[in-house]
Amino acid sequence: MSKVNLKAAEVQVRETRLGSITGFEGSAKDLVLQARAGTLEDKSRSFSQCLGCSTSNAACTTVLIQDGVTISHGPVGCCGCLQEYAFTYRVNVAHRGVKETRQRRIFSTNMKESDTVYGGNAKLAASIREVYERTKPKAIFIITTCSSGIIGDDVGSIADEAEAELGIPVVAIFCEGFRSKIWTSGFDAGYHAIARKLIKKPLQKQEDLINIVNFWGSDIFANWFKRLGLRANYLTPYATVKQISESAQAKATVQICSTLGSYLAAALEQEYGVPEIRISPPYGIAQTDRWFRELGKMTGKEKEAEQFIKEEKEKWLAQIEELRNKLKGKTAYVTAGASHGHSLLALLKELGIKPRGAAIFHHDPIYDNEAESSDTLQNVVNDYGDIENYNVCNKQEFELVNILNKIRPDILLARHGGMTLWGAKLGIPSLLIGDEHYGMGYEGIVKYGNRILETIENDEFVKNFSKHTHNPYSKWWLSQEPFFFLGKDIKEEI
Ligand code: SF4
């Protein structure tokens, strides 16, 4: 059965749609084998810290759209994590060549206790009209929260009524935090609503246009694609509502992170006939070779792709080798979402650095296209071998600190703000690169390798910092094994 159903107002969460999990400890190879054998089981924790919320990831698909606005329907606190995208917009806008930047437009209906008693429908309807009058957007996105979901506000009908009245898309996104333990369910909720309400059936095709489902990374594809006779259509950050609505006209879709783009790419293929490239994104030499060859095959640019690979390798391979010599014997630990975390592991292995483990926020045994060739962890294991101490955890920092304290790698690579702090507190050089395109291609291996080297060599600050910092975790916890609370009822043991 197709996992994409645009007739339904809401998308199923990842746990039920893909069988995704948030609790595992073992090796990367074990995890892949269990996923392939269909024996993967989630393990819950008898103690848990707070998780990421789906509203934040749903907002990631809407807040950076140039001419859209986002309304969070709930208490103002639920809107707090959305502000980080306003910051991201300002920081990354320079890398994306956006000519007319504008402040992000994020609103909250500010539900109060009385609204949870008498209902928030009227407040939402009035907020939509007020936001429209104040900002005159090309589309309005409404993201739901636990409060509006629990009291059963009819957000879909209110959005439809406003759309008919205002004459612009008013898009309801159902992404209450309590729906899923996997915050990336929020990406799916956002893209589901965008695919239903914004993307139009194609009346014509643009044969050189390639959709790129990405976060907010720098515009490396413009230069690459020019050499192949192609054009990039980034979805959805920094795009306009018009660009997004025309994405079904593209020749193909690629994703820079299969966790992010799994649903939208499948929806574009299944509902609008835009084929998706079913392999991992281009991180590491082997995968970059495959990715450009596959892109060439899908777009009839095989010769151009081979030429591109040849030229790029001539330029970068010697530098990669040089870095491998400098980084020989170094160790690392990765904490990130899947599958960008898998890409970081590929980069480490390519540079000859030994990953001593990883704390990855969830695991999808299969993506929405159901193609094993898209399994980014499987591709890393096949290309570079197993990874020990592979842990799936939804940002459980207490486990991360425990592991880092025992493993003490030469560097911590993190993908999310707040996680590098734990490495620094232990005196471990820690690196967070927000631009997800930074490590892509042959050139990316060199750029990332240089940043890793620079971070390891400049460790004075973290060494001093660790001497003067307070670790909130007790000696008792740090002496336990890291997965003490995973998969068992610990109350009986303590
Ligand atoms: S939507 Fe729910 S989980 Fe998310 S911030 Fe609001 S109350 Fe918390």
Side-chain angles (χ1 to χ4, degrees):
M1 201 180 89
S2 169
K3 299 194 182 300
V4 176
N5 176 13
L6 297 189
K7 288 197 178 71
E10 303 167 19
V11 64
Q12 280 189 312
V13 296
R14 289 210 178 190
E15 290 95 324
T16 45
R17 197 176 83 249
L18 303 178
S20 309
I21 61 155
T22 54
F24 174 87
E25 56 113 352
S27 82
K29 194 172 173 188
D30 282 347
L31 181 56
V32 169
L33 288 175
Q34 287 182 31
R36 287 292 76 80
T39 55
L40 192 59
E41 276 181 28
D42 202 5
K43 283 186 184 169
S44 55
R45 290 172 172 81
S46 46
F47 169 77
S48 171
Q49 290 179 314
C50 70
L51 323 173
C53 166
S54 298
T55 58
S56 157
N57 287 25
C60 176
T61 68
T62 66
V63 169
L64 303 181
I65 296 172
Q66 290 285 0
D67 43 5
V69 301
T70 302
I71 302 174
S72 166
H73 182 38
V76 74
C78 295
C79 195
C81 56
L82 275 54
Q83 305 305 324
E84 72 179 273
Y85 298 118
F87 173 74
T88 302
Y89 180 87
R90 283 198 302 279
V91 171
N92 291 328
V93 77
H95 305 301
R96 290 294 294 271
V98 176
K99 292 199 181 68
E100 283 176 38
T101 57
R102 60 154 55 114
Q103 216 176 10
R104 292 301 79 206
R105 295 169 304 177
I106 305 165
F107 298 85
S108 166
T109 53
N110 192 16
M111 280 181 90
K112 296 279 173 54
E113 198 176 344
S114 57
D115 298 315
T116 63
V117 176
Y118 298 109
N121 286 338
K123 203 167 193 179
L124 174 61
S127 299
I128 294 170
R129 274 119 187 123
E130 188 180 337
V131 164
Y132 178 76
E133 283 310 317
R134 281 163 63 173
T135 63
K136 290 287 182 312
K138 293 275 169 35
I140 296 174
F141 302 95
I142 303 158
I143 55 178
T144 58
T145 62
C146 293
S147 304
S148 52
I150 288 169
I151 63 170
D153 274 355
D154 190 0
V155 177
S157 301
I158 291 166
D160 289 345
E161 279 164 24
E163 180 167 301
E165 182 188 319
L166 302 175
I168 58 162
V170 180
V171 182
I173 299 174
F174 299 95
C175 54
E176 303 88 20
F178 67 76
R179 275 177 186 256
S180 174
K181 282 202 291 181
I182 302 170
W183 68 339
T184 50
S185 288
F187 292 142
D188 311 334
Y191 289 140
H192 177 77
I194 285 169
R196 283 184 86 222
K197 303 275 274 188
L198 229 56
I199 297 177
K200 295 197 176 80
K201 282 207 164 26
L203 298 174
Q204 67 210 35
K205 275 281 180 192
Q206 300 188 48
E207 294 295 324
D208 61 345
L209 193 67
I210 307 296
N211 293 324
I212 300 167
V213 187
N214 77 325
F215 292 97
W216 40 70
S218 52
D219 184 16
I220 58 164
F221 289 90
N223 180 28
W224 286 357
F225 280 10
K226 208 151 108 194
R227 291 160 64 187
L228 301 172
L230 300 170
R231 285 182 301 127
N233 185 38
Y234 291 106
L235 299 174
T236 51
Y238 300 100
T240 60
V241 169
K242 182 170 181 293
Q243 270 171 275
I244 297 166
S245 69
E246 291 174 356
S247 54
Q249 296 178 14
K251 177 79 175 166
T253 301
V254 299
Q255 310 166 42
I256 55 82
C257 170
S258 309
T259 292
L260 171 78
S262 169
Y263 193 82
L264 182 56
L268 278 161
E269 178 162 322
Q270 291 177 34
E271 298 291 322
Y272 301 105
V274 184
E276 169 193 352
I277 290 197
R278 292 175 146 81
I279 54 172
S280 302
Y283 295 91
I285 293 174
Q287 196 52 41
T288 302
D289 288 353
R290 273 184 223 123
W291 192 85
F292 276 102
R293 290 200 171 111
E294 190 63 22
L295 181 66
K297 203 158 86 189
M298 284 183 89
T299 54
K301 306 273 184 191
E302 289 96 332
K303 268 207 318 240
E304 289 87 340
E306 287 305 328
Q307 184 62 23
F308 180 93
I309 292 170
K310 186 170 164 285
E311 286 170 12
E312 290 289 296
K313 282 188 164 173
E314 277 168 11
K315 195 166 166 192
W316 300 108
L317 285 196
Q319 291 184 58
I320 294 172
E321 197 47 47
E322 220 175 283
L323 274 165
R324 283 182 186 139
N325 289 330
K326 288 182 184 161
L327 291 163
K328 207 171 179 176
K330 298 292 181 208
T331 60
Y333 192 87
V334 171
T335 182
S339 72
H340 191 68
H342 308 155
S343 301
L344 295 179
L345 289 164
L347 281 174
L348 288 171
K349 292 263 198 179
E350 196 63 77
L351 288 161
I353 301 169
K354 184 177 166 57
R356 292 292 321 280
I360 302 294
F361 302 155
H362 83 285
H363 189 73
D364 302 311
I366 196 92
Y367 298 117
D368 288 284
N369 62 23
E370 298 186 313
E372 284 180 24
S373 56
S374 297
D375 184 334
T376 48
L377 185 61
Q378 178 174 285
N379 292 338
V380 172
V381 171
N382 287 347
D383 283 338
Y384 303 103
D386 202 1
I387 296 142
E388 60 181 343
N389 301 315
Y390 193 96
N391 166 221
V392 177
C393 67
N394 38 11
K395 268 197 174 177
Q396 297 303 311
E397 294 169 0
F398 70 102
E399 284 181 2
L400 175 73
V401 174
N402 184 311
I403 298 166
L404 283 179
N405 186 45
K406 291 188 169 69
I407 286 179
R408 300 271 171 175
D410 293 311
I411 187 166
L412 168 69
L413 292 194
R415 166 71 183 151
H416 292 85
M419 303 303 265
T420 44
L421 169 77
W422 297 112
K425 274 178 180 275
L426 293 168
I428 300 166
S430 302
L431 176 64
L432 185 155
I433 294 182
D435 176 354
E436 76 277 8
H437 298 166
Y438 195 78
M440 279 184 150
Y442 314 99
E443 167 190 355
I445 304 167
V446 173
K447 287 196 304 193
Y448 227 102
N450 278 322
R451 288 292 297 277
I452 289 174
L453 193 61
E454 190 183 280
T455 308
I456 292 176
E457 285 175 348
N458 292 287
D459 61 352
E460 201 59 30
F461 171 74
V462 287
K463 294 275 180 284
N464 275 329
F465 184 65
S466 70
K467 284 183 205 150
H468 301 284
T469 189
H470 170 69
N471 188 335
Y473 294 103
S474 67
K475 278 194 185 135
W476 173 83
W477 170 241
L478 295 177
S479 67
Q480 303 306 311
E481 60 98 16
F483 307 107
F484 185 75
F485 293 104
L486 183 67
K488 44 191 180 256
D489 187 1
I490 219 67
K491 282 193 292 295
E492 287 169 14
E493 289 184 26
I494 293 181

